[in-house]
Amino acid sequence: MLQNDSLTGAGILSKENIISDYRLACESRQVSLLGRKDTMGGRSKFGIFGDGKEVAQIALARTFRPGDFRSGYYRDQTIEAAVGNLTWQQFFAQMYAHADLEHEPNTGGRSMNGHFSTRWLDENGQWLDQTKLYNSVCDISSTAGQMPRAVGLAYASKLFRSNKQLHNLTKFSRQGGEIAYATIGDASTSQGMFWEAMNAAGVLQIPLLTSVWDDGYGISVPIEYQTTKGSISKALAGLQRNEDEPGLEILTVNGWDYPALIETYEKAANICRNQHVPVLVHVTELTQPQGHSTSGSHERYKSKQRLSWEIERDCNVRFRDWILKNGYATDEELEQIEAEAKETASQSRNRAWQAYRKDLDKEYLETIQLVQNAGRESQFASELSNVVNELSRTYLPVRRDMIASVRKVLRIIGKEDNPFKASLKDSLRTSIQENQARFNTHLYSESPESPLHVQPVAPIFSDDSPVVDGREVIRTFFNATFEKNEKVVALGEDIGMIGDVNQGFAGLQEKFGELRITDTGIRETTIIGQGIGMAMRGLRPIVEIQYFDYIYYALATLTDDLASLRYRTAGGQKAPLIIRTRGHRLEGIWHSGSPMGTMLSSLRGLHVIVPRNFVQAAGFYNTLLRGDDPGLIVEPLNSYRQKETLPDNIGEICIPLGQPEILREGKHITIVTYGSMCRIVMEAASQLQGVGIDVEVIDVQTLLPFDINSSIVESIKKTNRVIFADEDLPGSASGYMMQQVLEKQNAYRWLDSAPVTISAKDHRPPYGSDGDYFSKPNMDDIFETVYQIMREAEPEIYPELF
């Protein structure tokens, strides 16, 4: 039996605090119950709730301080309410996907319910003072996807504490005194991201406090199918620290034991905050009173015995019993609190629903009126009446229904002279524009700090400018950057002691120290996560994926978290991380260096940059560092030992994004390419000149964004022929470039020959020079493809080669 004296040492508790906690637990439970009803009744599309976790989350929230961070789990509603980040009206507004930041400030209706975030940015995209906020990183649905960035959030505290150069960044840290709280369900600990994060935290010794909410199931699959020994704390026991070896502090507590939870979280937070030791709190014997989500009932897979067990161990019921047994309140007082909690939840739901429907109902009535007006003047009156009837019968119509009705009406009356046609068109244009702002903004920065606004700075060369290897160019750039900007840090495999595998950081760790340039283990996912977390806290990290193909290990984190962050918070959060890697013209199935099509499909929200040499690379790094968007830079692997002239102003040059460069002017055919293919295409162009074919070569330089000024079409207007050359698989980046130019720039209108793509073969390239030659485009392929196009146009001038 729980005893009153078990609160010894937890002096923060008083009768007032205890009753306040119980009230919050009751309110949170009630909004979960009402939320499920709303989903089942059709008011929302989906519902997932934190019922059964209320008391544990309250205990965690009691240790949460301004400046701390939560990298969490879509069941953390009670934490968010406890620290003041969430009102219950906002909770329901998110369920209804209310696309108005005044009502749903977490994501502007862009994420399903349970995805919470703190707005770190003002209306101009500038950082607010994070030390005054209870910071919540916007949740993602991908299981364990919150773990990699949690490592980075905690690692930033270590840097802020250990690096005195950062102590002036008082808007981001109180000299590293912040905790990063990660929360995760027990089943999700089976994911590799969790294990990688725990190992990284133990190695780094960072203030990461991870809570595992253990309710015994992952949807229908019980814990014995999920975790060795049926317990994540037992499975992780080898990471437990001791007197001789650092590691994790692992604590276990029952999720229905209020005083034990309070004491456990106080202990865990003190260890994290003061000692910078990672802690895992395994919260056991939790329940899910409503099951996993609104997608089904847990009665389908839980036995009657298990369901009875969950009723008995309901944390709110046990909390209530403890309050009564220890004399903190009477049964009547608790009944009053429970009734008030139910009323609070109901009123919050009603206010949220009324606010959500207010503008929708107004637009609905206006649409009905517009269509009826048009019907009175139309020869198709019966058909327009059917549109009105169909819309009137729609249950809880939304903007999709109204806009679709107007579009249908305009199709019906398209050829008649209807006096209300103009009003319908104006209404449609206005609606599309307004919904563009609601749903299609903030993929990239819209602030004055957007890298698209960075002013170009051209390289300056003099008679004294040395000719050096490409690796010396980029090393000199990094040296200049680290000297002038204390917020820039770099980390990755082999980046420190040996200066990276291609010597781009040679000697820089010795000069700037391990806190600035840091070696990591072989763990791409949490390398990216470290970078994301640091970037979220005002630092400017450059993280390295050693070779481009290895980026697949981290792709889920890049696409689900980093690329969508600004979008899914409707401009409320950002993480201007730079990912450095090297690729192109690599050999071997697992080292092809060319998965660009995958990046283009997965990483909208990042800038994807493909410099052909290292002067270009330095200029793009600078542009990103002066902007506030994340970016991926793929350095050309075969250029580290090729000679380049080192600019006198290497630390200052900035190259604009989305602006191709003409490398060679020509009049017969345009070849559009990028990266290491530029060298091959230029070689082919030189040889084609010898047979009378004048090739214009364009380096696109960045794939995202792509030719924002539509300049490539101007070349095609001149040459009337185009090839898109790429070493990725067929239809990948080459197909993307073709679509961007022929469709978006309407370049098809100027073509006298069919457009052509040149790409690698539709398999991974085998190892060796022969494998490369017969798998990826080479100079001979370029020459012969161009020659054949010209032969088709003028066979009398260009005879058959073979």
Side-chain angles (χ1 to χ4, degrees):
M1 179 180 296
L2 295 170
Q3 298 294 325
N4 190 31
D5 63 5
S6 67
L7 288 175
T8 301
I12 61 167
L13 284 177
S14 64
K15 177 179 178 179
E16 181 181 1
N17 288 337
I18 292 166
I19 297 306
S20 176
D21 286 349
Y22 183 68
R23 182 182 298 278
L24 178 58
C26 291
E27 289 177 0
S28 187
R29 179 63 58 86
Q30 287 301 318
V31 300
S32 294
L33 296 172
L34 286 178
R36 183 178 179 86
K37 288 182 179 178
D38 270 359
T39 302
M40 305 311 288
R43 282 188 169 188
S44 71
K45 301 281 288 187
F46 181 73
I48 194 161
F49 309 104
D51 49 310
K53 283 86 178 163
E54 294 91 348
V55 176
Q57 292 187 14
I58 287 169
L60 182 155
R62 283 201 165 278
T63 67
F64 209 106
R65 302 286 179 265
D68 288 344
F69 283 79
R70 182 191 70 88
S71 178
Y73 181 43
Y74 40 65
R75 301 190 191 279
D76 284 350
Q77 68 198 49
T78 312
I79 297 173
E80 289 294 281
V83 300
N85 281 348
L86 179 72
T87 69
W88 298 130
Q89 183 172 336
Q90 291 168 349
F91 173 89
F92 285 106
Q94 191 175 62
M95 286 200 66
Y96 306 145
H98 195 165
D100 185 334
L101 289 171
E102 289 188 11
H103 294 278
E104 205 281 87
N106 294 280
T107 72
R110 297 183 179 193
S111 289
M112 66 177 66
N113 84 295
H115 292 62
F116 308 114
S117 68
T118 308
R119 303 197 73 75
W120 300 328
L121 308 179
D122 65 18
E123 62 276 6
N124 295 316
Q126 305 297 309
W127 291 108
L128 298 174
D129 190 338
Q130 291 183 336
T131 66
K132 297 178 180 179
L133 301 172
Y134 294 91
N135 298 285
S136 249
V137 182
C138 190
D139 299 301
I140 57 177
S141 290
S142 311
T143 54
Q146 68 272 35
M147 297 305 301
R149 69 176 182 223
V151 173
L153 294 166
Y155 182 69
S157 288
K158 179 175 182 176
L159 293 184
F160 280 122
R161 176 169 291 187
S162 303
N163 185 352
K164 293 182 180 179
Q165 287 183 307
L166 301 178
H167 287 182
N168 64 324
L169 300 177
T170 55
K171 289 176 63 174
F172 297 101
S173 179
R174 295 187 178 93
Q175 297 186 15
E178 303 80 28
I179 295 174
Y181 290 83
T183 64
I184 188 169
D186 58 294
S188 295
T189 64
S190 299
Q191 292 278 15
M193 289 182 184
F194 173 82
W195 289 86
E196 189 173 315
M198 290 299 97
N199 179 61
V203 169
L204 295 170
Q205 290 295 283
I206 51 178
L208 175 62
L209 200 167
T210 302
S211 297
V212 179
W213 310 133
D214 188 349
D215 53 39
Y217 284 83
I219 306 184
S220 66
V221 180
I223 192 67
E224 55 264 30
Y225 290 97
Q226 304 277 2
T227 308
T228 301
K229 300 183 179 181
S231 165
I232 193 60
S233 54
K234 292 179 181 178
L236 287 174
L239 300 183
Q240 172 68 52
R241 66 174 181 159
N242 56 45
E243 292 181 359
D244 301 318
E245 299 170 315
L248 276 61
E249 183 66 31
I250 300 176
L251 305 173
T252 303
V253 61
N254 287 327
W256 44 262
D257 191 337
Y258 175 73
L261 285 161
I262 295 292
E263 291 187 343
T264 298
Y265 274 102
E266 280 294 305
K267 178 180 179 180
N270 285 333
I271 292 171
C272 260
R273 200 179 303 277
N274 299 325
Q275 301 178 37
H276 270 204
V277 169
V279 180
L280 181 130
V281 179
H282 183 195
V283 185
T284 61
E285 297 195 10
L286 288 169
T287 66
Q288 281 190 341
Q290 297 186 111
H292 172 75
S293 69
T294 56
S295 61
S297 170
H298 59 158
E299 293 176 352
R300 293 179 299 162
Y301 51 84
K302 290 179 182 175
S303 67
K304 291 182 179 180
Q305 291 81 2
R306 173 68 191 195
L307 292 169
S308 297
W309 182 93
E310 292 197 3
I311 292 171
E312 178 187 346
R313 283 168 176 75
D314 187 309
C315 64
N316 285 14
V317 173
R318 288 292 186 99
F319 190 12
R320 190 184 201 278
D321 291 343
W322 180 84
I323 291 172
L324 290 173
K325 289 174 183 175
N326 288 280
Y328 289 109
T330 65
D331 190 63
E332 290 76 15
E333 289 171 330
L334 295 183
E335 287 179 353
Q336 178 66 24
I337 289 171
E338 290 153 11
E340 290 170 355
K342 192 171 184 178
E343 182 62 20
T344 295
S346 179
Q347 290 179 357
S348 298
R349 172 208 195 195
N350 292 340
R351 286 194 298 269
W353 181 251
Q354 290 165 6
Y356 170 64
R357 289 303 312 181
K358 181 179 179 182
D359 289 340
L360 288 176
D361 291 342
K362 179 175 179 289
E363 292 176 32
Y364 166 77
L365 292 174
E366 289 173 349
T367 302
I368 292 289
Q369 187 64 55
L370 276 172
V371 178
Q372 288 177 335
N373 289 343
R376 284 192 288 269
E377 302 292 333
S378 176
Q379 59 182 310
F380 305 105
S382 62
E383 294 179 52
L384 268 59
S385 178
N386 289 336
V387 173
V388 171
N389 291 336
E390 183 179 347
L391 183 58
S392 300
R393 289 193 298 268
T394 302
Y395 179 65
L396 301 177
V398 292
R399 293 184 174 95
R400 175 191 66 180
D401 303 302
M402 274 85 88
I403 290 176
S405 296
V406 172
R407 283 176 157 177
K408 187 173 184 178
V409 168
L410 286 171
R411 290 196 297 271
I412 293 171
I413 66 172
K415 294 184 179 181
E416 72 174 6
D417 186 17
N418 191 302
F420 291 98
K421 187 186 293 185
S423 297
L424 285 163
K425 288 181 177 180
D426 288 343
S427 173
L428 180 59
R429 280 191 290 265
T430 299
S431 293
I432 290 174
Q433 184 176 6
E434 290 174 347
N435 285 290
Q436 170 81 14
R438 289 187 180 103
F439 303 114
N440 302 120
T441 52
H442 299 295
L443 180 61
Y444 295 95
S445 174
E446 298 173 12
S447 79
E449 292 186 346
S450 166
L452 296 181
H453 299 325
V454 173
Q455 293 300 308
V457 177
I460 297 174
F461 300 100
S462 65
D463 293 340
D464 296 326
S465 299
V467 176
V468 298
D469 287 347
R471 61 189 175 89
E472 283 297 313
V473 173
I474 200 66
R475 193 202 72 83
T476 305
F477 163 75
F478 284 135
N479 179 70
T481 298
F482 276 76
E483 282 184 340
K484 70 183 179 184
N485 190 344
E486 73 279 359
K487 292 190 290 185
V488 177
V489 294
L491 59 88
E493 301 163 20
D494 301 303
I495 201 173
M497 181 178 294
I498 69 168
D500 88 38
V501 292
N502 291 98
Q503 299 297 285
F505 274 91
L508 298 188
Q509 186 186 70
E510 183 178 358
K511 180 176 181 178
F512 295 104
E514 292 186 29
L515 289 174
R516 298 285 305 281
I517 300 170
T518 308
D519 282 318
T520 71
I522 301 176
R523 48 175 182 82
E524 283 79 9
T525 299
T526 47
I527 288 172
I528 296 297
Q530 269 183 265
I532 293 172
M534 287 190 287
M536 287 174 169
R537 298 192 60 183
L539 300 176
R540 296 309 308 264
I542 300 171
V543 301
E544 180 174 304
I545 299 296
Q546 195 165 93
Y547 293 105
F548 193 16
D549 298 73
Y550 301 167
I551 206 165
Y552 284 113
Y553 285 94
L555 187 57
T557 298
L558 287 168
T559 186
D560 291 340
D561 198 359
L562 180 62
S564 69
L565 178 68
R566 193 186 290 269
Y567 172 79
R568 72 179 189 272
T569 59
Q573 295 186 350
K574 63 182 177 182
L577 169 64
I578 298 174
I579 301 102
R580 176 195 188 215
T581 189
R582 50 189 64 84
H584 307 314
R585 306 315 298 183
L586 294 170
E587 297 176 4
I589 294 170
W590 298 283
H591 299 85
S592 65
S594 305
M596 203 59 68
T598 302
M599 300 305 108
L600 293 171
S601 298
S602 304
L603 300 185
R604 302 302 171 101
L606 270 70
H607 298 293
V608 177
I609 299 169
V610 282
R612 66 182 181 271
N613 60 37
F614 285 98
V615 172
Q616 301 293 105
F620 286 125
Y621 278 115
N622 246 342
T623 299
L624 287 179
L625 285 167
R626 295 184 185 187
D628 65 349
D629 268 334
L632 167 68
I633 295 184
V634 184
E635 297 176 4
L637 179 65
N638 61 357
S639 296
Y640 287 101
R641 295 189 180 277
Q642 291 184 355
K643 300 299 182 181
E644 298 183 41
T645 303
L646 178 66
D648 298 343
N649 61 337
I650 186 64
E652 302 299 326
I653 60 175
C654 292
I655 298 177
L657 306 184
Q659 297 189 25
E661 180 179 354
I662 297 176
L663 303 184
R664 177 188 178 113
E665 293 191 355
K667 61 184 180 181
H668 290 133
I669 191 166
T670 300
I671 301 182
V672 180
T673 191
Y674 63 87
S676 294
M677 281 293 292
C678 290
R679 178 178 55 83
I680 297 169
V681 171
M682 289 291 283
E683 182 182 353
S686 294
Q687 294 203 21
L688 286 160
Q689 189 72 48
V691 295
I693 299 175
D694 197 10
V695 179
E696 183 145 300
V697 180
I698 297 179
D699 176 9
V700 302
Q701 304 199 96
T702 68
L703 290 167
L704 293 175
F706 184 94
D707 191 10
I708 57 178
N709 296 320
S710 297
S711 64
I712 295 175
V713 68
E714 298 304 316
S715 173
I716 296 172
K717 287 179 182 180
K718 177 175 61 174
T719 66
N720 307 118
R721 297 175 180 86
V722 65
I723 293 173
F724 299 93
D726 169 50
E727 64 178 56
D728 200 356
L729 298 177
S732 294
S734 57
Y736 162 79
M737 292 191 293
M738 177 184 281
Q739 182 263 341
Q740 291 287 308
V741 175
L742 299 192
E743 180 184 330
K744 286 196 172 183
Q745 299 183 16
N746 292 318
Y748 70 91
R749 295 186 298 175
W750 308 97
L751 291 177
D752 292 338
S753 298
V756 173
T757 62
I758 298 177
S759 63
K761 300 296 189 292
D762 56 359
H763 54 74
R764 300 282 187 91
Y767 175 66
S769 297
D770 282 347
D772 175 74
Y773 183 84
F774 290 103
S775 299
K776 287 191 173 186
N778 53 61
M779 191 282 297
D780 298 319
D781 294 332
I782 305 292
F783 184 102
E784 290 164 10
T785 302
V786 172
Y787 189 92
Q788 182 60 31
I789 292 173
M790 297 306 299
R791 171 174 159 69
E792 289 176 359
E794 300 179 90
E796 68 282 358
I797 299 177
Y798 304 105
E800 186 175 8
L801 288 175
F802 57 82

